[in-house]
Amino acid sequence: QVQLQQSGAELAKPGSSVKISCKASGYTFTSYYISWIKQTTGQGLEYIGYINTGSGGTNYNEKFKGKATLTVDKSSSTAFMQLSSLTPDDSAVYYCARERKNYYYSGGVMDAWGQGASVTVSS
Amino acid sequence: DVVLTQTPVSLLISLGGQASISCRSSQSLVHSNGNTYLHWYLQKPGQSPQLLIYQVSNRFSGIPDRFSGSGSGTDFTLKISRVEPEDLGVYYCLQRTHNPYTFGAGTKLELK
């Protein structure tokens, strides 16, 4: 079955970086994009961006440019998101999700999600 | 950015009852290609969001026909008939017509 397994909780200091992983299984990795979504109590769900797992091309929400960097390792079917220059506002649960390609037909629908990775930024 | 306003914020429903959730957009969600990219998700307690409905009215694989989506332009509705215990959680709409893609704030479905 389709699974997206994310890395564990992170506790980081302000100004540092963290890198979250999302390992896919149960489907052909490069047949779907991987999207990333931030969830906080205050701001709800926010779309960060997606990565084309085949080409490595990316598309970011302007708000997260410079904050999030999306990469992929096809050999291990794993996507990564690095968050840099962390502040307390980056404390959140971050989800990866599988996104169907061919936007015209799919509307970029995200049809499977990881379990979420909690990031806490505190000194 | 497109703002999606979901109402009500919370909904108290009896088992077997019907629930209706509205998602209103600050601008039309009809894409220049003619399609409307409005999707619905359910986040059950302690879980990740799961896809229910895509492109307004298409049920995702395995989603029972108790769930139905409708609407056009700026006004969309998710209806849940014969509510069951596993339907409880927070429902979100998501628009993927305009960048940046945005979610509604959510509607919490609880049992009366």
Side-chain angles (χ1 to χ4, degrees):
Chain A
Q1 73 281 22
V2 174
Q3 277 196 331
L4 296 172
Q5 184 65 37
Q6 296 185 237
S7 47
E10 300 266 8
L11 174 59
K13 294 204 182 305
S16 68
S17 298
V18 295
K19 193 169 186 178
I20 302 168
S21 66
C22 172
K23 183 171 175 57
S25 61
Y27 71 97
T28 302
F29 182 63
T30 52
S31 294
Y32 294 79
Y33 299 150
I34 293 288
S35 288
W36 291 87
I37 301 94
K38 177 183 181 183
Q39 185 170 35
T40 58
T41 306
Q43 296 295 318
L45 292 162
E46 295 180 276
Y47 187 82
I48 296 170
Y50 71 81
I51 186 163
N52 182 326
T53 53
S55 67
T58 53
N59 184 308
Y60 293 95
N61 179 343
E62 284 288 331
K63 177 179 178 179
F64 293 95
K65 281 185 179 176
K67 171 61 63 178
T69 302
L70 307 182
T71 56
V72 68
D73 175 8
K74 287 189 286 187
S75 68
S76 64
S77 299
T78 304
F80 301 92
M81 178 173 68
Q82 178 159 316
L83 298 169
S84 59
S85 303
L86 291 169
T87 72
D89 286 345
D90 297 316
S91 297
V93 174
Y94 291 88
Y95 292 100
C96 63
R98 183 180 84 162
E99 176 178 324
R100 293 182 183 177
K101 290 186 175 180
N102 198 330
Y103 175 81
Y104 178 87
Y105 293 107
S106 74
V109 70
M110 299 174 288
D111 64 4
W113 294 54
Q115 82 277 21
S118 173
V119 173
T120 302
V121 182
S122 174
S123 54
Chain B
D1 296 2
V2 172
V3 176
L4 297 179
T5 302
Q6 285 186 237
T7 54
V9 171
S10 65
L11 208 43
L12 278 175
I13 300 291
S14 302
L15 283 178
Q18 177 164 303
S20 182
I21 299 170
S22 168
C23 176
R24 287 193 169 159
S25 174
S26 60
Q27 47 184 286
S28 173
L29 297 184
V30 180
H31 194 276
S32 56
N33 64 21
N35 291 331
T36 300
Y37 298 127
L38 187 283
H39 315 308
W40 289 94
Y41 291 84
L42 165 61
Q43 186 171 29
K44 297 181 181 181
Q47 296 186 19
S48 310
Q50 61 182 87
L51 177 64
L52 297 174
I53 302 279
Y54 62 96
Q55 291 186 55
V56 181
S57 59
N58 299 285
R59 272 188 304 277
F60 183 53
S61 174
I63 301 302
D65 60 7
R66 301 184 294 101
F67 291 87
S68 64
S70 62
S72 62
T74 61
D75 286 348
F76 303 90
T77 302
L78 175 70
K79 285 197 166 91
I80 311 151
S81 60
R82 306 184 303 281
V83 167
E84 297 186 5
E86 59 263 32
D87 300 337
L88 304 184
V90 182
Y91 289 80
Y92 296 97
C93 52
L94 162 67
Q95 69 83 17
R96 294 219 45 172
T97 296
H98 303 286
N99 267 311
Y101 308 127
T102 49
F103 291 85
T107 295
K108 189 172 186 179
L109 181 62
E110 298 175 288
L111 277 181
K112 193 182 288 183

